[in-house]
Amino acid sequence: MSESTETASRKLLGRLRDTLAEDSAGQERLDHITHLIADSMRTEVCSIYLFRDAETLELCATEGLNPDAVHQTRMRIGEGLVGRVARSRNPINTPNAPQERGFRYMPETGEEIFSSFLGVPVQRLGEALGVLVVQSRDGRIFTGDEVYGLEVVAMVLAEMTELGAFLGEGEALSARHTHPRVFKGGTGQEGVAEGHIYLHEPRVVVTNPVADDPVRELERLQEAVNTLRISVDEMLTRAENGDKEQREVLEAYRMFANSRSWMKRMEEDIARGLSAEASVEKEQSLARSRLSRSDAYLRERLHDLDDLSNRLLRILTGQGSETGAEMPEDPILVARNIGPGELLEYGRKLRGIILEQGSVGSHAAIVARALAIPLIIHADGIVNEALNGDHVLVDGDQGVVHLRPGDSVAAAIRDKIAMQAEAQKRYIGLRDKPAQSRCGTIIELQMNAGLMADLPSLLTSGAEGVGLFRTELQFLIRNKMPRRAELAALYARVMDAAGDKQVVFRTLDIGSDKVLPYMKPQDEPNPAMGWRAIRVGLDKPGIMRMQLQALIRAAAGRPLTVMFPFVAQFDEFREARRRLLAEIENERRLGHVLPETLEIGAMLETPSLAFAPQQFFDMTDFVSIGGNDLKQFFFAADRENERVRRRYDTLNVSFLSFLAQIVARCNVSGTSLSFCGEDAGRPVEAVCFAAMGLRKMSMRPASIGPVKSLMRRVDLGALKQVIDEASSNGEQTVRPAVMNYLVNLD
Ligand code: PEP
Ligand code: MG
């Protein structure tokens, strides 16, 4: 890059900044900016297109095109060259635009006479805000230097947009982060909540995108990078004796922090006139737009770089310390996505959770359910729109978020919160009554748990025991492998809290989305069908052994119930059971007190186990259907993929008849059978399972009241008849028929 281009670039950025200082309206500013850019780039045209909504771009200012087209010309993302730049987040540089694939002629703009076209995305931290275009009559191709220069300008425009520099009358120029916004997502956990936003990753605001003194900015960048390097080195020293995998991640951080090419790009940005923080953001934005297009390995590396850039920005701006902003009294957490371990760290403090990604079947959702915190998933765009401290209402039942709501919406939601509190009171009245159907059948309702904090619910919910204790949650909340004695003490406390009630301990179900922070992540093409649960347990005997010993020692004279997850074939169960019995034998030899009784069971989570030899059903003390996994493998529909998850109804005739087959197989051997997937906690599903012959179900504590309430009103024989009739009529799902029966109950 020549010195003169640097000077020209700095001059232009300086002028852009001056427009910020001017006392003018947003539109005037935008118009002025297009003029400045066209002048500096020596093009006839400069236009700024901004997103009006997620799909539509609008021409918001132009120098050189027909001024009447401003705020009139619109295009959808992907449409025309401008739409293509917005979609691909990549520049388009062509000397002959009309010949270019996807060119769309817009007569109102008068652009047909301009042959060359250069468009770059206007984006901030990976969020597309619009497109900046220059065009000229001569068929020139813009040099690499010019493209780069325009990207730098686009970066400054993005920051100015974020700072509200273009506020005005038109909607496309309206203020960000001030108006009420509604986000329609999906339900991860029902419930309604009111509170204030707490961002999982603090949002950094760059108030000075342009800087006059590149030497000073380079010094600031260098100082900040030095501080960053020292902190990464310190983390490495702290991790020295720790886990190898954790150290590997930190080594990758160190590699990036010392990366010459990363530094060099930022130095070039600064030479062009960006401030140190704007240069970090520019590189971060580029990395983020590459994220979606990369393979799993590269994605991990880009995530590392993203995290490192965030740290660097916090150092440079002094905003958002490592722990972020102060948490409000009634925090509603907003994040792109979150792992179950991170969510557990927040714990019950949270009033609600809103995720931009996430899925109903994910373990973060299961944790949210265990904690009974309303969860919205797929609230597209919330991370960029919400600010720390914003007032927010979460309607988990409808999957809707009201950000900065008006008074009338707030009043309606508050009514709903009050009504739900009323219903809870009604369920408390049922607490000590059995879940006995109208025809007299008693269904045993247990609860799912995984945290010490869940256990008080044993009393308050009226659960008859813990039908599924997910032991991995305890492993997920730590940053190193827990020790045997620690685990034994914890399991003993769980048994103490349960008193006479049964606790079914499920051995570690790690892998899939439950990645232990201190275990090397496996780069598997399809982790849900990969090395997880009992497969890890059998292949890594040390961990399984340690956990089994901890369970035996915790029981010390009390009954012990152990369940192995994700058993796909008889041999896996036989081997796991053999190891548990060997541990018992070992403990006996050591003279330790043995459990009073021992029950060993298997989770049926893959269809294959339903067809296991009879000897399996004879050997196992009980079977528990893990419906979350079973359903995903039965329908071949990823439980975490929102697109396909909802396609197949749990009350689908094939699935219900499959459940009936499992009931029949267990009946032959007299094997106890339960259902512990999330569907057991849905009242309509639960009564149908009971009608199909299930007599035991385990669910989140908050579901016990609603399930019991409906169960007590239903005649299972009559319901079974409704199901059979709908099935023989060739229905795909029995739900409409069942709902018709249920709404007519008295
Ligand atoms: C299930 O798969 O239904 C289950 C209970 O296990 P998890 O949700 O923990 O995979
Ligand atoms: Mg499972």
Side-chain angles (χ1 to χ4, degrees), residues 598-616:
L598 178 65
E599 283 187 73
I600 311 175
M603 282 187 82
L604 195 156
E605 304 189 88
T606 60
S608 61
L609 197 65
F611 303 96
Q614 188 55 39
Q615 286 81 347
F616 160 72

Side-chain angles (χ1 to χ4, degrees), residues 373-422:
I373 300 171
L375 164 68
I376 308 275
I377 53 171
H378 287 214
D380 219 13
I382 184 98
V383 168
N384 283 315
E385 186 58 38
L387 294 183
N388 266 326
D390 275 350
H391 179 213
V392 64
L393 293 162
V394 171
D395 186 343
D397 303 337
Q398 303 297 325
V400 175
V401 177
H402 300 273
L403 184 65
R404 304 181 284 264
D407 291 346
S408 56
V409 175
I413 299 272
R414 282 182 195 133
D415 282 351
K416 204 167 166 182
I417 294 176
M419 267 165 57
Q420 290 198 341
E422 270 304 303

Side-chain angles (χ1 to χ4, degrees), residues 655-681:
F655 191 61
L656 287 185
S657 77
F658 183 50
L659 292 184
Q661 284 183 44
I662 300 170
V663 170
R665 292 220 62 186
C666 288
N667 284 347
V668 170
S669 49
T671 310
S672 159
L673 175 67
S674 71
F675 189 110
C676 67
E678 298 303 309
D679 282 323

Side-chain angles (χ1 to χ4, degrees), residues 38 41-47 63-65 93-98 103 110-119 133-142 146:
M41 302 272 301
R42 270 174 260 118
T43 56
E44 283 96 359
V45 176
C46 171
S47 311
E63 164 83 15
L65 295 186
N93 179 7
T94 169
N96 192 351
F103 175 79
E111 71 170 343
E112 68 280 13
I113 47 172
F114 301 106
S115 175
S116 54
F117 173 104
L118 169 60
V133 175
V134 289
Q135 290 171 279
S136 69
R137 226 176 239 125
D138 53 345
R140 79 200 237 208
I141 178 117
F142 292 90
E146 284 172 317

